[in-house]
């Protein structure tokens, strides 16, 4: 479908006579010059790989370049600030991760409002996690790990990629839902965490499937369960946490496309439709499969609901941690 046709359809679906719709139509086919796609993490990160997988085909579809720019550091805050401060014309967009929902509970002085200052365009997909232990660990199942943690509260160490990371949140959720307490060891990123898990210095940790899969298959670490709703095709013999006795457990960090607040509805509709088309392309799906990334593609409303729910749930988890520390 041509860009002009898509805008016309979007106008019909949105508020046909709205100022935003008229302005988008009067400006001509969007986009009519290159679009900046800000990635709020470093080159080579999962977020970056997703951006570089979709940008070329978005450009082909919309007949303009989507130029990926990395604005890394500080849990994505500097990059997100640049996105929200841009003009709401659709020419500066960005990819954010679950850290966007975690940051409000970690930083009281964020330079933007996590919900009000963005336009949530679409949730592109998610990254399932795997709960793993060293190859020589005595724990063969999640049940055994939980029983040991209950018998020895705050003695079995749990590693994460840092306080407030998605891997940390996954661990806090497990503690809450299984009624256990680990000794948390935060690392400065996933690579040192993996090294110490393989060596046995860390008893257990959540890892992105894309990071863990090679080591699981090599036998250097053992997968106990996944954080997903269903078993993963790449690890068919690994049960989910829900199957393993932690009823209702589900946490898959996500990646979404956002823009500054008040993006015109036709532009949002066009970008959303384009992303949904691109993530269904065989070549893009193949790149995602290698990364262990599960494409979804949602409406703006669905993405916004996910964001709001996770802000609340993460604040609760972090608040409970602080309460436990104060009481301990």
């Amino acid at each position: 479908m041509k860009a002009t046709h898509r805008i016309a359809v979007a106008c019909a679906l949105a508020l046909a006579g709205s100022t935003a719709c008229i302005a988008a139509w009067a400006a001509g086919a969007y986009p009519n010059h290159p679009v900046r796609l800000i990635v709020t993490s470093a080159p080579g990160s999962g977020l970056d790989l997703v951006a570089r997988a979709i940008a070329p085909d978005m450009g082909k579809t919309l007949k303009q370049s989507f130029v990926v720019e990395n604005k890394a550091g500080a849990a994505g805050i500097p990059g997100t600030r640049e996105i929200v401060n841009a003009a709401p014309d659709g020419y500066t967009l960005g990819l954010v991760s679950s850290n966007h929902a975690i940051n409000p509970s970690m930083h009281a002085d964020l330079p933007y409002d996590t919900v009000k200052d963005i336009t949530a365009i679409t949730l592109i997909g998610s990254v399932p996690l795997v709960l793993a232990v060293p190859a020589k660990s005595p724990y063969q199942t999640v049940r055994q790990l939980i029983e040991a943690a209950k018998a020895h509260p705050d003695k079995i160490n749990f590693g994460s990629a840092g306080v407030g990371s998605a891997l940390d949140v996954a661990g806090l959720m497990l503690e809450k839902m299984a009624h256990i307490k680990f000794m948390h060891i935060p690392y400065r990123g996933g690579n040192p965490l993996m090294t110490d898990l393989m060596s046995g210095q860390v008893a257990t940790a959540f890892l992105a499937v894309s990071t863990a899969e090679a080591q699981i298959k090599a036998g250097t670490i053992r997968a106990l369960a996944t954080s997903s709703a269903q078993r993963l095709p790449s690890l068919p013999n690994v049960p989910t946490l829900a199957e393993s006795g932690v009823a209702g457990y589900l946490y898959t960090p996500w990646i979404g496309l956002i823009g500054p607040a008040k993006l015109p509805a036709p532009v949002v509709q066009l970008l959303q439709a384009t992303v949904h088309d691109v993530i269904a392309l065989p070549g893009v799906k193949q790149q995602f499969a290698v990364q262990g990334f599960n494409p979804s593609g949602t409406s703006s409303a669905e993405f916004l609901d996910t964001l709001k729910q996770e802000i609340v749930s993460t604040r609760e988890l972090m608040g409970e941690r602080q309460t436990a520390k104060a009481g301990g």
Side-chain angles (χ1 to χ4, degrees):
M1 185 183 293
K2 292 183 178 180
T4 50
H5 187 195
R6 281 194 171 173
I7 289 182
V9 171
C11 283
L13 292 175
L15 222 39
S18 71
T19 302
C21 190
I22 293 169
W25 185 256
Y30 166 85
N32 56 29
H33 61 265
V35 177
R36 298 173 67 207
L37 189 59
I38 294 175
V39 175
T40 56
S41 64
S45 65
L47 201 62
D48 179 64
L49 293 173
V50 168
R52 294 181 190 279
I54 66 172
D57 286 298
M58 289 187 71
K60 289 177 186 177
T61 301
L62 297 178
K63 311 301 182 186
Q64 287 290 343
S65 297
F66 277 68
V67 183
V68 177
E69 297 181 19
N70 294 89
K71 302 288 182 181
I77 296 170
T80 305
R81 179 173 54 197
E82 188 158 345
I83 297 165
V84 303
N85 287 339
D89 55 11
Y91 289 96
T92 299
L93 308 172
L95 260 66
V96 295
S97 67
S98 290
N99 280 107
H100 189 72
I102 297 169
N103 282 337
S105 65
M106 299 297 298
H107 305 277
D109 56 348
L110 282 177
Y112 51 80
D113 187 290
T114 310
V115 174
K116 294 178 181 178
D117 289 342
I118 70 162
T119 296
I121 298 168
T122 185
L123 196 155
I124 301 170
S126 60
V127 183
L129 305 178
V130 59
L131 180 65
V133 295
K136 296 181 180 180
S137 171
Y139 311 122
Q140 301 290 327
T141 65
V142 171
R143 191 174 299 279
Q144 290 176 355
L145 176 63
I146 289 174
E147 288 174 352
K150 285 182 176 179
H152 307 285
D154 215 18
K155 300 297 182 184
I156 296 174
N157 62 35
F158 171 87
S160 80
V163 174
S165 66
L167 305 185
D168 179 28
V169 171
L172 286 173
M173 285 184 62
L174 179 58
E175 287 183 328
K176 180 176 182 177
M177 297 179 74
H179 307 290
I180 56 176
K181 185 70 177 72
F182 291 122
M183 179 175 67
H184 182 218
I185 302 179
Y187 284 78
R188 297 178 71 87
N191 290 334
L193 169 61
M194 174 66 85
T195 298
D196 280 4
L197 182 68
M198 291 167 59
S199 69
Q201 294 185 60
V202 172
T204 188
F206 278 100
L207 302 167
V209 170
S210 56
T211 302
E213 191 172 346
Q215 299 303 331
I216 293 168
K217 292 181 177 178
T220 56
I221 60 175
R222 182 187 308 128
L224 299 186
T226 65
S227 68
S228 49
Q230 291 88 31
R231 293 193 184 200
L232 305 177
S234 60
L235 298 170
N237 296 322
V238 179
T240 66
L241 275 159
E243 287 180 299
S244 303
V246 189
Y249 190 101
L250 175 62
Y251 182 64
T252 51
W254 46 261
I255 291 173
L257 178 67
I258 68 168
K262 299 181 181 178
L263 277 185
V267 172
V268 174
Q269 294 272 357
L270 177 61
L271 289 167
Q272 190 180 104
T274 302
V275 171
H276 294 179
D277 288 347
V278 166
I279 64 178
L281 294 173
V284 175
K285 289 173 72 173
Q286 184 176 8
Q287 291 183 66
F288 285 168
V290 170
Q291 300 169 34
F293 183 73
N294 290 333
S296 54
T298 66
S299 69
S300 299
E302 289 169 331
F303 182 14
L304 196 58
D305 284 346
T306 297
L307 174 60
K308 289 178 178 179
Q309 290 169 14
E310 289 200 12
I311 289 172
V312 172
S313 62
T314 303
R315 275 185 171 142
E316 289 176 354
L317 288 170
M318 295 299 177
E320 287 166 6
R321 170 186 275 169
Q322 292 304 317
T323 300
K325 283 185 178 180

